[in-house]
Amino acid sequence: MWEEILARYLNEKRLKKSAKRERIIKFFFKVDKHLNVDELYEKLGKKVSRSTIYRTLKLLTKCGLAIEQKFEEKNRRYEPAHLSHHDHFICLKCGEIIEFNDKKIENTQNKIAQKYNFKIVSHKLEIYGYCEKCQKG
Amino acid sequence: MWEEILARYLNEKRLKKSAKRERIIKFFFKVDKHLNVDELYEKLGKKVSRSTIYRTLKLLTKCGLAIEQKFEEKNRRYEPAHLSHHDHFICLKCGEIIEFNDKKIENTQNKIAQKYNFKIVSHKLEIYGYCEKCQKG
DNA sequence: AATGAAATTGAAATTCATTTTCATTATTAT
DNA sequence: ATAATAATGAAAATGAATTTCAATTTCATT
């Protein structure tokens, strides 16, 4: 669970607890999908500064609980790490991001990596195109 | 060939030819791999301003001859479009980017897309980890 | 060749996301 | 309670990408 991992990390680094940080992190894991700083700022009622949100997301990234992502947008997104094996369909019309997961793709990746003697740590697969709605519309 | 596509585009948009632009574009296709603006600036002997390089790469992107890419670096890279079906291994230690190509992966992607009724236009696959050298070193 | 309208260029200014600084406030160990 | 140190927010700094603007270049039309 993220609570324990976080607690262990804070302890190890001699960091202190704080209400703001907890609020951000709890919300982040409650929503449980990729978010950017502005979305968090808005959805937390602008009660926590962007600086603190940035710092908190960096912290989560450092202790392995979140993953930084760059889609073809100007700004970064963060995703709870337990979702990070998901891949994404991204609709070029409406911008919707659909998460999916497929074992076959991972197997194929492993085979190719072997061929290149590359040791895989993680991967990112984004498929761009048109979602069901936008094909009709 | 890119020459014709470019010529047609310039003509269509009533744009003019220029020596600087040609130099950038020729070099870009001669090197024939992903580059960022700074690398182009250096390798062109700092004879063309960054503004112009940015503008030229945007132009190439618009006429479909280049693809903008965002790896997990601060700045963008551009890649000749004919390479853009390549996928990438990215070494987390030395930063090397190895291009590869595999039909199996594309087949699998197509099957999944069907399941989700998603119409694929393009995709981006980046595999992070350690290259052969860095596993040993 | 000469003209002029429109595109191109580079330098500097601007934008915008992110990071850092710094003075103030909150937390925690003693 | 005190002292030490971390957390916070506002503002400043950073850095990549874009835009502005005056000067230059291109090119279609004389």
PDB file of all heavy atoms in Angstrom, chain D residues 1-13:
ATOM      1  P    DA D   1       5.046  25.034  27.711  1.00  0.00           P
ATOM      2  OP1  DA D   1       4.773  25.529  29.076  1.00  0.00           O
ATOM      3  OP2  DA D   1       4.296  25.617  26.571  1.00  0.00           O
ATOM      4  O5'  DA D   1       6.563  25.278  27.406  1.00  0.00           O
ATOM      5  C5'  DA D   1       7.230  26.316  28.101  1.00  0.00           C
ATOM      6  C4'  DA D   1       8.696  26.213  27.775  1.00  0.00           C
ATOM      7  O4'  DA D   1       9.064  24.884  27.360  1.00  0.00           O
ATOM      8  C3'  DA D   1       9.113  27.140  26.648  1.00  0.00           C
ATOM      9  O3'  DA D   1      10.398  27.634  27.004  1.00  0.00           O
ATOM     10  C2'  DA D   1       9.130  26.236  25.421  1.00  0.00           C
ATOM     11  C1'  DA D   1       9.553  24.888  26.014  1.00  0.00           C
ATOM     12  N9   DA D   1       8.985  23.693  25.379  1.00  0.00           N
ATOM     13  C8   DA D   1       7.684  23.437  25.092  1.00  0.00           C
ATOM     14  N7   DA D   1       7.472  22.251  24.568  1.00  0.00           N
ATOM     15  C5   DA D   1       8.736  21.689  24.514  1.00  0.00           C
ATOM     16  C6   DA D   1       9.205  20.435  24.051  1.00  0.00           C
ATOM     17  N6   DA D   1       8.389  19.487  23.567  1.00  0.00           N
ATOM     18  N1   DA D   1      10.522  20.190  24.132  1.00  0.00           N
ATOM     19  C2   DA D   1      11.322  21.144  24.652  1.00  0.00           C
ATOM     20  N3   DA D   1      11.008  22.348  25.111  1.00  0.00           N
ATOM     21  C4   DA D   1       9.679  22.561  25.003  1.00  0.00           C
ATOM     22  P    DT D   2      11.006  28.769  26.086  1.00  0.00           P
ATOM     23  OP1  DT D   2      11.785  29.673  26.940  1.00  0.00           O
ATOM     24  OP2  DT D   2       9.955  29.269  25.166  1.00  0.00           O
ATOM     25  O5'  DT D   2      12.041  27.892  25.249  1.00  0.00           O
ATOM     26  C5'  DT D   2      12.919  27.003  25.947  1.00  0.00           C
ATOM     27  C4'  DT D   2      13.842  26.364  24.926  1.00  0.00           C
ATOM     28  O4'  DT D   2      13.220  25.167  24.390  1.00  0.00           O
ATOM     29  C3'  DT D   2      14.169  27.266  23.740  1.00  0.00           C
ATOM     30  O3'  DT D   2      15.575  27.293  23.560  1.00  0.00           O
ATOM     31  C2'  DT D   2      13.409  26.639  22.566  1.00  0.00           C
ATOM     32  C1'  DT D   2      13.301  25.174  22.987  1.00  0.00           C
ATOM     33  N1   DT D   2      12.105  24.452  22.497  1.00  0.00           N
ATOM     34  C2   DT D   2      12.244  23.142  22.096  1.00  0.00           C
ATOM     35  O2   DT D   2      13.304  22.549  22.108  1.00  0.00           O
ATOM     36  N3   DT D   2      11.068  22.545  21.679  1.00  0.00           N
ATOM     37  C4   DT D   2       9.812  23.116  21.628  1.00  0.00           C
ATOM     38  O4   DT D   2       8.849  22.472  21.255  1.00  0.00           O
ATOM     39  C5   DT D   2       9.737  24.490  22.050  1.00  0.00           C
ATOM     40  C7   DT D   2       8.419  25.204  22.027  1.00  0.00           C
ATOM     41  C6   DT D   2      10.873  25.092  22.458  1.00  0.00           C
ATOM     42  P    DA D   3      16.228  28.209  22.457  1.00  0.00           P
ATOM     43  OP1  DA D   3      17.385  28.921  23.037  1.00  0.00           O
ATOM     44  OP2  DA D   3      15.146  28.957  21.774  1.00  0.00           O
ATOM     45  O5'  DA D   3      16.765  27.072  21.488  1.00  0.00           O
ATOM     46  C5'  DA D   3      17.252  25.847  22.057  1.00  0.00           C
ATOM     47  C4'  DA D   3      17.480  24.888  20.922  1.00  0.00           C
ATOM     48  O4'  DA D   3      16.220  24.288  20.540  1.00  0.00           O
ATOM     49  C3'  DA D   3      18.043  25.541  19.671  1.00  0.00           C
ATOM     50  O3'  DA D   3      18.959  24.632  19.073  1.00  0.00           O
ATOM     51  C2'  DA D   3      16.817  25.762  18.795  1.00  0.00           C
ATOM     52  C1'  DA D   3      15.974  24.536  19.161  1.00  0.00           C
ATOM     53  N9   DA D   3      14.528  24.706  19.011  1.00  0.00           N
ATOM     54  C8   DA D   3      13.781  25.828  19.180  1.00  0.00           C
ATOM     55  N7   DA D   3      12.491  25.651  18.996  1.00  0.00           N
ATOM     56  C5   DA D   3      12.391  24.309  18.682  1.00  0.00           C
ATOM     57  C6   DA D   3      11.290  23.484  18.368  1.00  0.00           C
ATOM     58  N6   DA D   3      10.031  23.907  18.332  1.00  0.00           N
ATOM     59  N1   DA D   3      11.541  22.188  18.097  1.00  0.00           N
ATOM     60  C2   DA D   3      12.808  21.753  18.143  1.00  0.00           C
ATOM     61  N3   DA D   3      13.926  22.422  18.418  1.00  0.00           N
ATOM     62  C4   DA D   3      13.629  23.704  18.680  1.00  0.00           C
ATOM     63  P    DA D   4      19.869  25.040  17.855  1.00  0.00           P
ATOM     64  OP1  DA D   4      21.277  24.738  18.201  1.00  0.00           O
ATOM     65  OP2  DA D   4      19.470  26.393  17.423  1.00  0.00           O
ATOM     66  O5'  DA D   4      19.403  23.977  16.783  1.00  0.00           O
ATOM     67  C5'  DA D   4      19.307  22.600  17.170  1.00  0.00           C
ATOM     68  C4'  DA D   4      18.538  21.862  16.090  1.00  0.00           C
ATOM     69  O4'  DA D   4      17.136  22.183  16.191  1.00  0.00           O
ATOM     70  C3'  DA D   4      18.974  22.237  14.669  1.00  0.00           C
ATOM     71  O3'  DA D   4      19.141  21.027  13.935  1.00  0.00           O
ATOM     72  C2'  DA D   4      17.826  23.072  14.126  1.00  0.00           C
ATOM     73  C1'  DA D   4      16.638  22.496  14.895  1.00  0.00           C
ATOM     74  N9   DA D   4      15.509  23.413  15.072  1.00  0.00           N
ATOM     75  C8   DA D   4      15.544  24.744  15.362  1.00  0.00           C
ATOM     76  N7   DA D   4      14.346  25.308  15.463  1.00  0.00           N
ATOM     77  C5   DA D   4      13.481  24.254  15.225  1.00  0.00           C
ATOM     78  C6   DA D   4      12.083  24.176  15.197  1.00  0.00           C
ATOM     79  N6   DA D   4      11.269  25.228  15.423  1.00  0.00           N
ATOM     80  N1   DA D   4      11.529  22.975  14.932  1.00  0.00           N
ATOM     81  C2   DA D   4      12.328  21.923  14.709  1.00  0.00           C
ATOM     82  N3   DA D   4      13.665  21.873  14.710  1.00  0.00           N
ATOM     83  C4   DA D   4      14.178  23.084  14.982  1.00  0.00           C
ATOM     84  P    DT D   5      19.762  21.084  12.468  1.00  0.00           P
ATOM     85  OP1  DT D   5      20.728  19.975  12.371  1.00  0.00           O
ATOM     86  OP2  DT D   5      20.134  22.480  12.161  1.00  0.00           O
ATOM     87  O5'  DT D   5      18.509  20.699  11.552  1.00  0.00           O
ATOM     88  C5'  DT D   5      17.604  19.689  12.002  1.00  0.00           C
ATOM     89  C4'  DT D   5      16.315  19.822  11.209  1.00  0.00           C
ATOM     90  O4'  DT D   5      15.450  20.852  11.757  1.00  0.00           O
ATOM     91  C3'  DT D   5      16.519  20.188   9.736  1.00  0.00           C
ATOM     92  O3'  DT D   5      15.648  19.374   8.992  1.00  0.00           O
ATOM     93  C2'  DT D   5      16.078  21.640   9.687  1.00  0.00           C
ATOM     94  C1'  DT D   5      14.911  21.563  10.666  1.00  0.00           C
ATOM     95  N1   DT D   5      14.356  22.851  11.151  1.00  0.00           N
ATOM     96  C2   DT D   5      12.985  22.929  11.318  1.00  0.00           C
ATOM     97  O2   DT D   5      12.233  21.993  11.101  1.00  0.00           O
ATOM     98  N3   DT D   5      12.526  24.144  11.759  1.00  0.00           N
ATOM     99  C4   DT D   5      13.285  25.264  12.040  1.00  0.00           C
ATOM    100  O4   DT D   5      12.761  26.290  12.431  1.00  0.00           O
ATOM    101  C5   DT D   5      14.716  25.112  11.842  1.00  0.00           C
ATOM    102  C7   DT D   5      15.632  26.264  12.104  1.00  0.00           C
ATOM    103  C6   DT D   5      15.172  23.929  11.413  1.00  0.00           C
ATOM    104  P    DA D   6      15.825  18.987   7.485  1.00  0.00           P
ATOM    105  OP1  DA D   6      16.420  17.644   7.416  1.00  0.00           O
ATOM    106  OP2  DA D   6      16.441  20.117   6.762  1.00  0.00           O
ATOM    107  O5'  DA D   6      14.309  18.858   7.036  1.00  0.00           O
ATOM    108  C5'  DA D   6      13.433  18.105   7.869  1.00  0.00           C
ATOM    109  C4'  DA D   6      12.012  18.532   7.595  1.00  0.00           C
ATOM    110  O4'  DA D   6      11.769  19.830   8.192  1.00  0.00           O
ATOM    111  C3'  DA D   6      11.690  18.677   6.118  1.00  0.00           C
ATOM    112  O3'  DA D   6      10.409  18.094   5.916  1.00  0.00           O
ATOM    113  C2'  DA D   6      11.711  20.188   5.871  1.00  0.00           C
ATOM    114  C1'  DA D   6      11.254  20.733   7.227  1.00  0.00           C
ATOM    115  N9   DA D   6      11.781  22.051   7.570  1.00  0.00           N
ATOM    116  C8   DA D   6      13.090  22.449   7.593  1.00  0.00           C
ATOM    117  N7   DA D   6      13.251  23.702   7.956  1.00  0.00           N
ATOM    118  C5   DA D   6      11.974  24.156   8.190  1.00  0.00           C
ATOM    119  C6   DA D   6      11.467  25.403   8.617  1.00  0.00           C
ATOM    120  N6   DA D   6      12.233  26.462   8.891  1.00  0.00           N
ATOM    121  N1   DA D   6      10.123  25.521   8.748  1.00  0.00           N
ATOM    122  C2   DA D   6       9.358  24.462   8.481  1.00  0.00           C
ATOM    123  N3   DA D   6       9.712  23.238   8.083  1.00  0.00           N
ATOM    124  C4   DA D   6      11.045  23.149   7.959  1.00  0.00           C
ATOM    125  P    DA D   7       9.629  18.235   4.561  1.00  0.00           P
ATOM    126  OP1  DA D   7       8.752  17.066   4.433  1.00  0.00           O
ATOM    127  OP2  DA D   7      10.604  18.575   3.505  1.00  0.00           O
ATOM    128  O5'  DA D   7       8.721  19.495   4.848  1.00  0.00           O
ATOM    129  C5'  DA D   7       7.658  19.396   5.784  1.00  0.00           C
ATOM    130  C4'  DA D   7       6.648  20.503   5.523  1.00  0.00           C
ATOM    131  O4'  DA D   7       7.261  21.768   5.844  1.00  0.00           O
ATOM    132  C3'  DA D   7       6.187  20.607   4.066  1.00  0.00           C
ATOM    133  O3'  DA D   7       4.789  20.836   4.080  1.00  0.00           O
ATOM    134  C2'  DA D   7       6.995  21.774   3.506  1.00  0.00           C
ATOM    135  C1'  DA D   7       7.203  22.644   4.735  1.00  0.00           C
ATOM    136  N9   DA D   7       8.449  23.396   4.773  1.00  0.00           N
ATOM    137  C8   DA D   7       9.717  22.947   4.491  1.00  0.00           C
ATOM    138  N7   DA D   7      10.660  23.864   4.658  1.00  0.00           N
ATOM    139  C5   DA D   7       9.959  24.982   5.083  1.00  0.00           C
ATOM    140  C6   DA D   7      10.372  26.281   5.431  1.00  0.00           C
ATOM    141  N6   DA D   7      11.646  26.686   5.416  1.00  0.00           N
ATOM    142  N1   DA D   7       9.418  27.155   5.809  1.00  0.00           N
ATOM    143  C2   DA D   7       8.135  26.756   5.835  1.00  0.00           C
ATOM    144  N3   DA D   7       7.628  25.549   5.535  1.00  0.00           N
ATOM    145  C4   DA D   7       8.600  24.716   5.159  1.00  0.00           C
ATOM    146  P    DT D   8       3.984  21.037   2.751  1.00  0.00           P
ATOM    147  OP1  DT D   8       2.612  20.533   2.980  1.00  0.00           O
ATOM    148  OP2  DT D   8       4.792  20.523   1.621  1.00  0.00           O
ATOM    149  O5'  DT D   8       3.920  22.613   2.634  1.00  0.00           O
ATOM    150  C5'  DT D   8       3.172  23.350   3.603  1.00  0.00           C
ATOM    151  C4'  DT D   8       3.287  24.828   3.288  1.00  0.00           C
ATOM    152  O4'  DT D   8       4.657  25.215   3.467  1.00  0.00           O
ATOM    153  C3'  DT D   8       2.948  25.176   1.846  1.00  0.00           C
ATOM    154  O3'  DT D   8       1.673  25.811   1.831  1.00  0.00           O
ATOM    155  C2'  DT D   8       4.058  26.120   1.392  1.00  0.00           C
ATOM    156  C1'  DT D   8       4.894  26.332   2.635  1.00  0.00           C
ATOM    157  N1   DT D   8       6.368  26.374   2.444  1.00  0.00           N
ATOM    158  C2   DT D   8       7.038  27.519   2.796  1.00  0.00           C
ATOM    159  O2   DT D   8       6.489  28.509   3.239  1.00  0.00           O
ATOM    160  N3   DT D   8       8.400  27.472   2.606  1.00  0.00           N
ATOM    161  C4   DT D   8       9.135  26.409   2.108  1.00  0.00           C
ATOM    162  O4   DT D   8      10.351  26.486   1.997  1.00  0.00           O
ATOM    163  C5   DT D   8       8.373  25.242   1.760  1.00  0.00           C
ATOM    164  C7   DT D   8       9.068  24.030   1.203  1.00  0.00           C
ATOM    165  C6   DT D   8       7.044  25.275   1.940  1.00  0.00           C
ATOM    166  P    DG D   9       0.936  26.082   0.451  1.00  0.00           P
ATOM    167  OP1  DG D   9      -0.527  26.061   0.680  1.00  0.00           O
ATOM    168  OP2  DG D   9       1.551  25.239  -0.584  1.00  0.00           O
ATOM    169  O5'  DG D   9       1.384  27.591   0.192  1.00  0.00           O
ATOM    170  C5'  DG D   9       1.140  28.574   1.178  1.00  0.00           C
ATOM    171  C4'  DG D   9       1.643  29.906   0.690  1.00  0.00           C
ATOM    172  O4'  DG D   9       3.100  29.904   0.684  1.00  0.00           O
ATOM    173  C3'  DG D   9       1.222  30.266  -0.735  1.00  0.00           C
ATOM    174  O3'  DG D   9       1.012  31.673  -0.747  1.00  0.00           O
ATOM    175  C2'  DG D   9       2.425  29.861  -1.584  1.00  0.00           C
ATOM    176  C1'  DG D   9       3.584  30.158  -0.629  1.00  0.00           C
ATOM    177  N9   DG D   9       4.771  29.314  -0.777  1.00  0.00           N
ATOM    178  C8   DG D   9       4.835  28.006  -1.196  1.00  0.00           C
ATOM    179  N7   DG D   9       6.059  27.511  -1.187  1.00  0.00           N
ATOM    180  C5   DG D   9       6.847  28.563  -0.731  1.00  0.00           C
ATOM    181  C6   DG D   9       8.242  28.635  -0.503  1.00  0.00           C
ATOM    182  O6   DG D   9       9.099  27.752  -0.656  1.00  0.00           O
ATOM    183  N1   DG D   9       8.629  29.888  -0.035  1.00  0.00           N
ATOM    184  C2   DG D   9       7.778  30.944   0.200  1.00  0.00           C
ATOM    185  N2   DG D   9       8.328  32.061   0.644  1.00  0.00           N
ATOM    186  N3   DG D   9       6.463  30.890  -0.010  1.00  0.00           N
ATOM    187  C4   DG D   9       6.069  29.679  -0.474  1.00  0.00           C
ATOM    188  P    DA D  10       0.232  32.397  -1.873  1.00  0.00           P
ATOM    189  OP1  DA D  10      -0.909  33.104  -1.248  1.00  0.00           O
ATOM    190  OP2  DA D  10       0.028  31.466  -2.997  1.00  0.00           O
ATOM    191  O5'  DA D  10       1.314  33.486  -2.307  1.00  0.00           O
ATOM    192  C5'  DA D  10       1.957  34.263  -1.278  1.00  0.00           C
ATOM    193  C4'  DA D  10       3.126  35.002  -1.875  1.00  0.00           C
ATOM    194  O4'  DA D  10       4.276  34.129  -1.931  1.00  0.00           O
ATOM    195  C3'  DA D  10       2.898  35.513  -3.299  1.00  0.00           C
ATOM    196  O3'  DA D  10       3.345  36.856  -3.365  1.00  0.00           O
ATOM    197  C2'  DA D  10       3.703  34.563  -4.178  1.00  0.00           C
ATOM    198  C1'  DA D  10       4.816  34.119  -3.231  1.00  0.00           C
ATOM    199  N9   DA D  10       5.308  32.757  -3.465  1.00  0.00           N
ATOM    200  C8   DA D  10       4.589  31.673  -3.892  1.00  0.00           C
ATOM    201  N7   DA D  10       5.308  30.565  -4.004  1.00  0.00           N
ATOM    202  C5   DA D  10       6.582  30.958  -3.613  1.00  0.00           C
ATOM    203  C6   DA D  10       7.802  30.255  -3.503  1.00  0.00           C
ATOM    204  N6   DA D  10       7.936  28.966  -3.784  1.00  0.00           N
ATOM    205  N1   DA D  10       8.885  30.937  -3.089  1.00  0.00           N
ATOM    206  C2   DA D  10       8.749  32.242  -2.794  1.00  0.00           C
ATOM    207  N3   DA D  10       7.651  33.019  -2.858  1.00  0.00           N
ATOM    208  C4   DA D  10       6.599  32.300  -3.281  1.00  0.00           C
ATOM    209  P    DA D  11       3.333  37.658  -4.740  1.00  0.00           P
ATOM    210  OP1  DA D  11       2.857  39.010  -4.408  1.00  0.00           O
ATOM    211  OP2  DA D  11       2.669  36.844  -5.794  1.00  0.00           O
ATOM    212  O5'  DA D  11       4.885  37.730  -5.097  1.00  0.00           O
ATOM    213  C5'  DA D  11       5.866  37.784  -4.050  1.00  0.00           C
ATOM    214  C4'  DA D  11       7.236  37.543  -4.660  1.00  0.00           C
ATOM    215  O4'  DA D  11       7.476  36.122  -4.759  1.00  0.00           O
ATOM    216  C3'  DA D  11       7.383  38.092  -6.080  1.00  0.00           C
ATOM    217  O3'  DA D  11       8.703  38.595  -6.218  1.00  0.00           O
ATOM    218  C2'  DA D  11       7.141  36.868  -6.946  1.00  0.00           C
ATOM    219  C1'  DA D  11       7.830  35.801  -6.094  1.00  0.00           C
ATOM    220  N9   DA D  11       7.415  34.425  -6.361  1.00  0.00           N
ATOM    221  C8   DA D  11       6.173  33.965  -6.687  1.00  0.00           C
ATOM    222  N7   DA D  11       6.115  32.659  -6.864  1.00  0.00           N
ATOM    223  C5   DA D  11       7.418  32.240  -6.634  1.00  0.00           C
ATOM    224  C6   DA D  11       8.019  30.973  -6.655  1.00  0.00           C
ATOM    225  N6   DA D  11       7.357  29.842  -6.953  1.00  0.00           N
ATOM    226  N1   DA D  11       9.334  30.905  -6.385  1.00  0.00           N
ATOM    227  C2   DA D  11       9.993  32.035  -6.092  1.00  0.00           C
ATOM    228  N3   DA D  11       9.539  33.284  -6.035  1.00  0.00           N
ATOM    229  C4   DA D  11       8.226  33.314  -6.317  1.00  0.00           C
ATOM    230  P    DA D  12       9.196  39.308  -7.538  1.00  0.00           P
ATOM    231  OP1  DA D  12       9.564  40.667  -7.134  1.00  0.00           O
ATOM    232  OP2  DA D  12       8.217  39.058  -8.634  1.00  0.00           O
ATOM    233  O5'  DA D  12      10.535  38.512  -7.891  1.00  0.00           O
ATOM    234  C5'  DA D  12      11.452  38.181  -6.843  1.00  0.00           C
ATOM    235  C4'  DA D  12      12.439  37.171  -7.365  1.00  0.00           C
ATOM    236  O4'  DA D  12      11.784  35.883  -7.485  1.00  0.00           O
ATOM    237  C3'  DA D  12      12.995  37.504  -8.751  1.00  0.00           C
ATOM    238  O3'  DA D  12      14.395  37.295  -8.719  1.00  0.00           O
ATOM    239  C2'  DA D  12      12.251  36.540  -9.687  1.00  0.00           C
ATOM    240  C1'  DA D  12      11.995  35.343  -8.780  1.00  0.00           C
ATOM    241  N9   DA D  12      10.810  34.541  -9.115  1.00  0.00           N
ATOM    242  C8   DA D  12       9.548  34.988  -9.355  1.00  0.00           C
ATOM    243  N7   DA D  12       8.677  34.033  -9.618  1.00  0.00           N
ATOM    244  C5   DA D  12       9.431  32.877  -9.540  1.00  0.00           C
ATOM    245  C6   DA D  12       9.103  31.512  -9.711  1.00  0.00           C
ATOM    246  N6   DA D  12       7.870  31.081 -10.013  1.00  0.00           N
ATOM    247  N1   DA D  12      10.087  30.609  -9.574  1.00  0.00           N
ATOM    248  C2   DA D  12      11.318  31.041  -9.272  1.00  0.00           C
ATOM    249  N3   DA D  12      11.752  32.290  -9.076  1.00  0.00           N
ATOM    250  C4   DA D  12      10.747  33.170  -9.232  1.00  0.00           C
ATOM    251  P    DA D  13      15.261  37.270 -10.074  1.00  0.00           P
ATOM    252  OP1  DA D  13      16.641  37.680  -9.698  1.00  0.00           O
ATOM    253  OP2  DA D  13      14.510  37.987 -11.132  1.00  0.00           O
ATOM    254  O5'  DA D  13      15.304  35.735 -10.450  1.00  0.00           O
ATOM    255  C5'  DA D  13      15.855  34.814  -9.526  1.00  0.00           C
ATOM    256  C4'  DA D  13      16.023  33.484 -10.226  1.00  0.00           C
ATOM    257  O4'  DA D  13      14.715  32.918 -10.461  1.00  0.00           O
ATOM    258  C3'  DA D  13      16.709  33.560 -11.583  1.00  0.00           C
ATOM    259  O3'  DA D  13      17.665  32.518 -11.616  1.00  0.00           O
ATOM    260  C2'  DA D  13      15.574  33.360 -12.589  1.00  0.00           C
ATOM    261  C1'  DA D  13      14.616  32.481 -11.806  1.00  0.00           C
ATOM    262  N9   DA D  13      13.198  32.577 -12.162  1.00  0.00           N
ATOM    263  C8   DA D  13      12.451  33.714 -12.306  1.00  0.00           C
ATOM    264  N7   DA D  13      11.180  33.479 -12.597  1.00  0.00           N
ATOM    265  C5   DA D  13      11.098  32.089 -12.647  1.00  0.00           C
ATOM    266  C6   DA D  13      10.031  31.213 -12.898  1.00  0.00           C
ATOM    267  N6   DA D  13       8.794  31.619 -13.166  1.00  0.00           N
ATOM    268  N1   DA D  13      10.298  29.886 -12.876  1.00  0.00           N
ATOM    269  C2   DA D  13      11.549  29.481 -12.601  1.00  0.00           C
ATOM    270  N3   DA D  13      12.631  30.217 -12.346  1.00  0.00           N
ATOM    271  C4   DA D  13      12.332  31.522 -12.378  1.00  0.00           C
TER     272       DA D  13
END
